[in-house]
Amino acid sequence: MSQQPVRYDRQGAVGVVTVDSPPVNALSQAVRQGLWDKVTEGFNDAAVTSLVIVGAGRTFIAGADIAEFLTGGMGEPDLNDVNDLIESGPKPVIAAIHGTALGGGLEVALSCHYRVAVPKAQVGLPEVKLGILPGGGGTQRLSRLVGAKTAIDLITTGVFLPASKGLALGILDHVGEGTDPLAVAISFAATLPAGPHKRTRDREENLVADKGSPVFEEARASLAKFARGQFAPQRCVDAVEAAFTLPFDAGLKRERELFFQCMAHDQAKALIHVFFAERAISKIPDVPPSVTPRKIAQVAVLGSGTMGGGIAMNFVNAGIPVRLLDLDQAALDRGIGVIAKNYAGTVAKGKLAQADMDKRLSLITPTTDYADLADADLIVEAVFEDADVKAKVFRRLDEVAKPGAILASNTSTLDLDAIAAHTKRPADVIGMHFFSPANVMKLLEVVRGKDTAPDVIATAMAVGKQIGKVSVLVGNCDGFVGNRMVQYYATEAQRLVIEGASVEQVDKAALEFGLAMGPFAMGDLAGLDVMGFIRARRVAAGLIYGTPLSDRIDPARKGQKNGRGWYRYEPGNRTPLPDPEITAVIDAYRAEKGVMPRAIGNEEIAKRLIYTLVNEGAKILEEGMALRAGDIDIVYIYGYGFPAWRGGPMKFAELAGLDNVLADITRYHADAVKAGDADGAYWEPAPLLARLVADGKKGF
Ligand code: 3HC
Ligand code: NAI
């Protein structure tokens, strides 16, 4: 960091206050103090008639310093005091915005008398994504500028607005040309009218227009549905409403109270954890930033089926050309047909121009000839999940791929080291495990084999980011991280049903917890036939895999794909409907085992589902298959629809208290042992969890 996080200098009659606190000019205590001092200096400088606040480096102020929230060290001066100083000052102050003016950063700008920006700038109040609300006057000042409905929309979604939209809404006063915000602000300053400058707090027109508006109640009702279970969004509405019911200073006070209520809530702790966890995933101790990724200009994808097609789309969407190889022309035609249909759907929704669709399709070159892969820098294999097929493919790739090409496998269950052993270049082999639908799902597990070279890891992580994925490095174990955890979760769902819950109740409890989908609906989506293949392979490999009910389901029930799985589906409709055939299977199982069904509460269901993830996650962590507990959380949030506001399974356990979690897990284990239920063997407490609790530790 530079010596002075905020400095003051003059450009003619304009005083320039520059915030220079890399990487994003966050409002740490030192920056707040610096702003206070330098704005005061500018107001006292008789040589200037107006002030500009601008950010050095890549951005304006990107918000409060989130790291300070974790330490609770939000010392004086308070952001509200800084904002009040700016707004009440004797000279007009102009915020000169480039990069992003977010959260507290936009709140500083809203306290300025004018806001100007370069065309590429973005503005927003994204606090809700951290489980909090704008606490520096943002709810009060933005409401005055844009009215109740728009303020609620912007604050409850946390959306980043492009400068043009900010201008149209009246958040910005002017958008200049070019990339230099200071130049834009200085020419704007020359146009300022004489006389008293306007203060956002005094703007009355929207307050009058929206007083008593029904939008508050409408927003509450809508959030109760779309942000179910979440604390901050409702508090955002309360804070905006205060702008319309209370005088400015009382509104600010109310906003503060609500801000601290949010800060004290577990959901803020969870979401702030997710913010940092998401940024930590790219930090790999033995692959430092000094390791240069290999250049990826040409990609090849093998297999144009469900996964290969989606994977190819990811690369061409990012402008990287792809050669797509399959066994024969018919398979290729089918694969390309699906890709084209996918794009056409996006075009029909108006989200992609026809010309862009054509451009993307033109970047895909279908082939059946391995010789065409010779110039590929990265080859991603997505052929049948069959060890012999993969062996054949990798032996062939070893013959044709150029030296230095990266050979990646999208296998979901096979041993990456065994795959690498089919080549003479295991250091160049890596797993790139996409999730279905591969063009949509954000998660990419990058699987490190025992010989994978550091620059190959760096390349896979970088290329993942380039194609818009959230890439998490994982170790080579059965199921890697996500699927290894989910198998026990799926089994536990079945055990709950055997004990007395219904399929629908288990899914409902999962939804109530906040998961995007219940375990049975998820099974139907993934395909019960696919699960069956995986199960058969695991059983053949001697891996214990209890699936008490799935083994008894008619194999013809494949899930959503043929309208029959754990549920039944009407043609063309994805709504799961209870199926008496499944109830009969459950009843027969209970009768055979002499199980007297009992009533199980939704809370127990959610706990047991989530704690299977926690216990296995702790084992994964101890084995070093994930680098950090936060990495596991990110896998679950981006790959399995785990609610971010719960922090991911590992953070959820920390917030519940590791000692409480261990006590429950120990009890579930004892219950399984007592019942002689080998399927519940995974409840054996993870040694890491037991050790942390014994040592009085609160986190993983
Ligand atoms: N506080 C502390 N650190 C921050 C930060 C913040 N507000 N914003 C970003 N950083 C850090 C990141 O942790 C990262 O650190 P690292 O390099 O050590 O991992 C570094 O800055 C760069 O961040 P990104 O990797 O995210 O860089 P990008 O260029 O991809 O994105 C960004 C930049 C759009 C600014 C993005 O970082 C972002 O969205 N930041 C958060 C913005 C935000 O939520 N602001 C509101 C904060 S809450 C608030 O203001 C409360 C107020 O109302 C009182
Ligand atoms: P799929 O059956 O839809 O597609 C496989 C494609 O590979 C077919 O087009 C087939 O013709 C082609 N193929 C088979 N042998 C080939 C060979 N020797 N050379 C070239 N092409 C060949 O299978 P899917 O679902 O796309 O799976 C592919 C891989 O992705 C598997 O390893 C699977 O485990 C993995 N995966 C699948 C997920 C899913 O949800 N379907 C999720 C994540 C990974």
Side-chain angles (χ1 to χ4, degrees):
M1 190 183 290
S2 63
Q3 288 273 300
Q4 273 198 323
V6 185
R7 44 175 202 269
Y8 177 75
D9 52 83
R10 248 182 246 141
Q11 290 218 5
V14 178
V16 181
V17 175
T18 305
V19 182
D20 188 1
S21 181
V24 295
N25 297 325
L27 290 160
S28 61
Q29 189 278 333
V31 169
R32 294 194 303 275
Q33 186 64 56
L35 274 172
W36 179 277
D37 295 343
K38 300 303 170 184
V39 167
T40 304
E41 189 178 337
F43 284 153
N44 292 335
D45 182 352
V48 303
T49 52
S50 60
L51 298 187
V52 170
I53 299 178
V54 67
R58 65 205 245 203
T59 185
F60 189 72
I61 302 166
D65 185 346
I66 303 169
E68 242 180 27
F69 294 166
L70 295 179
T71 53
M74 291 146 68
E76 298 285 318
D78 189 283
L79 181 58
N80 272 322
D81 293 336
V82 175
N83 289 343
D84 184 50
L85 173 83
I86 295 169
E87 192 174 49
S88 307
K91 295 173 187 171
V93 185
I94 304 162
I97 301 171
H98 74 305
T100 47
L102 300 174
L106 182 58
E107 290 176 306
V108 168
L110 292 172
S111 309
C112 294
H113 307 99
Y114 301 94
R115 288 155 293 284
V116 303
V118 297
K120 281 208 167 146
Q122 292 180 299
V123 296
L125 291 174
E127 285 87 343
V128 73
K129 296 182 185 165
L130 299 169
I132 57 174
L133 53 81
T139 61
Q140 307 305 296
R141 289 192 179 89
L142 187 70
S143 299
R144 282 167 166 75
L145 286 183
V146 301
K149 170 130 184 38
T150 306
I152 290 173
D153 285 351
L154 298 181
I155 294 171
T156 58
T157 57
V159 64
F160 293 7
L161 294 178
S164 56
K165 196 82 196 286
L167 181 65
L169 288 175
I171 299 171
L172 298 176
D173 297 290
H174 172 66
V175 177
E177 300 206 328
T179 54
D180 180 358
L182 186 54
V184 171
I186 286 179
S187 23
F188 182 82
T191 69
L192 286 184
H197 41 269
K198 53 185 184 180
R199 303 193 308 172
T200 310
R201 66 157 70 198
D202 298 332
R203 300 273 295 264
E204 292 281 324
E205 57 278 22
N206 284 311
L207 296 189
V208 175
D210 285 343
K211 201 169 176 116
S213 159
V215 295
F216 303 106
E217 283 321 310
E218 285 163 13
R220 287 190 178 99
S222 153
L223 290 166
K225 213 160 133 195
F226 297 109
R228 193 165 40 84
Q230 295 182 50
F231 186 73
Q234 295 282 359
R235 304 293 85 71
C236 291
V237 180
D238 296 347
V240 171
E241 192 174 29
F244 296 82
T245 53
L246 299 172
F248 183 77
D249 287 324
L252 271 190
K253 197 162 159 257
R254 180 75 184 126
E255 178 195 83
R256 262 283 133 138
E257 281 163 17
L258 293 162
F259 174 82
F260 282 112
Q261 279 180 24
C262 289
M263 279 294 275
H265 202 283
D266 274 355
Q267 291 182 11
K269 298 187 180 91
L271 284 163
I272 290 170
H273 158 77
V274 172
F275 177 84
F276 286 112
E278 210 174 319
R279 282 156 183 84
I281 49 177
S282 55
K283 299 183 172 95
I284 303 165
D286 63 338
V287 186
S290 55
V291 175
T292 313
R294 297 183 192 176
K295 193 165 161 286
I296 305 295
Q298 176 70 52
V299 166
V301 175
L302 267 79
S304 61
T306 311
M307 294 305 288
I311 294 170
M313 287 172 79
N314 287 322
F315 287 105
V316 297
N317 290 350
I320 304 171
V322 171
R323 295 194 206 288
L324 184 60
L325 181 142
D326 210 307
L327 289 171
D328 51 39
Q329 196 57 43
L332 279 173
D333 290 346
R334 206 171 41 241
I336 297 278
V338 173
I339 294 173
K341 203 170 140 218
N342 255 319
Y343 280 135
T346 318
V347 170
K349 283 189 209 139
K351 291 186 177 165
L352 182 72
Q354 181 67 46
D356 289 330
M357 164 172 165
D358 297 343
K359 170 98 204 307
R360 291 176 193 193
L361 282 175
S362 76
L363 286 174
I364 303 178
T365 313
T367 180
T368 53
D369 186 354
Y370 273 81
D372 287 337
L373 310 187
D375 65 347
D377 304 300
L378 166 67
I379 303 177
V380 185
E381 165 278 312
V383 304
F384 295 143
E385 185 75 340
D386 178 302
D388 294 335
V389 177
K390 304 266 193 212
K392 225 170 86 196
V393 165
F394 273 81
R395 278 198 291 269
R396 191 80 185 90
L397 285 180
D398 201 20
E399 288 163 16
V400 296
K402 67 180 180 187
I406 295 177
L407 310 183
S409 175
N410 181 47
T411 180
S412 36
T413 56
L414 300 174
D415 176 359
L416 186 74
D417 291 329
I419 291 175
H422 297 299
T423 73
K424 290 188 259 343
R425 41 176 126 180
D428 294 337
V429 177
I430 194 160
M432 287 179 76
H433 183 217
F434 291 84
F435 287 69
S436 180
N439 54 316
V440 177
M441 293 295 290
K442 295 275 280 179
L443 179 64
L444 173 66
E445 284 185 334
V446 172
V447 188
R448 169 181 207 155
K450 70 177 165 53
D451 296 318
T452 309
D455 67 334
V456 172
I457 295 174
T459 311
M461 297 294 288
V463 99
K465 196 162 184 188
Q466 199 185 343
I467 61 174
K469 299 296 172 193
V470 174
S471 314
V472 180
L473 186 68
V474 301
N476 178 31
C477 58
D478 199 77
F480 311 126
V481 167
N483 285 341
R484 173 169 160 181
M485 286 160 74
V486 86
Q487 60 177 317
Y488 302 119
Y489 164 89
T491 304
E492 190 63 13
Q494 295 182 30
R495 291 181 76 238
L496 284 158
V497 165
I498 292 164
E499 283 175 44
S502 66
V503 163
E504 304 83 68
Q505 190 200 353
V506 170
D507 277 0
K508 187 159 174 280
L511 289 179
E512 270 173 15
F513 177 83
L515 285 150
M517 203 179 248
F520 292 107
M522 189 168 84
D524 279 358
L525 184 68
L528 301 191
D529 52 340
V530 177
M531 307 280 217
F533 298 141
I534 296 173
R535 210 160 54 240
R537 187 195 55 77
R538 287 201 166 120
V539 171
L543 294 163
I544 307 291
Y545 194 73
T547 44
L549 289 178
S550 22
D551 292 335
R552 302 183 178 220
I553 305 281
D554 176 359
R557 299 187 76 99
K558 296 185 180 177
Q560 266 194 30
K561 67 179 87 163
N562 69 348
R564 297 169 70 227
W566 290 106
Y567 296 95
R568 63 182 188 83
Y569 301 84
E570 297 292 347
N573 192 331
R574 286 159 183 257
T575 312
L577 302 167
D579 191 333
E581 222 181 89
I582 293 294
T583 317
V585 172
I586 296 165
D587 287 344
Y589 188 94
R590 288 180 186 151
E592 184 188 315
K593 303 279 176 187
V595 176
M596 276 295 283
R598 67 178 173 97
I600 306 183
N602 285 5
E603 201 182 320
E604 178 183 341
I605 294 175
K607 239 187 196 185
R608 281 174 53 180
L609 291 176
I610 304 308
Y611 288 0
T612 56
L613 302 176
V614 175
N615 203 35
E616 194 60 22
K619 291 173 191 172
I620 285 171
L621 201 54
E622 180 145 44
E623 288 169 28
M625 293 298 161
L627 280 170
R628 291 158 284 249
D631 287 25
I632 299 176
D633 289 331
I634 295 300
V635 164
Y636 251 75
I637 289 166
Y638 284 103
Y640 297 83
F642 198 97
W645 51 274
R646 298 272 197 190
M650 308 310 275
K651 185 67 186 177
F652 179 74
E654 290 179 1
L655 291 169
L658 294 185
D659 48 351
N660 297 324
V661 174
L662 177 65
D664 282 331
I665 289 178
T666 307
R667 190 158 41 82
Y668 300 146
H669 185 233
D671 288 347
V673 170
K674 203 164 110 204
D677 181 2
D679 290 334
Y682 47 74
W683 278 125
E684 176 154 14
L688 173 66
L689 183 58
R691 218 171 41 247
L692 289 173
V693 172
D695 293 347
K697 297 267 167 56
K698 304 279 177 230
F700 284 103

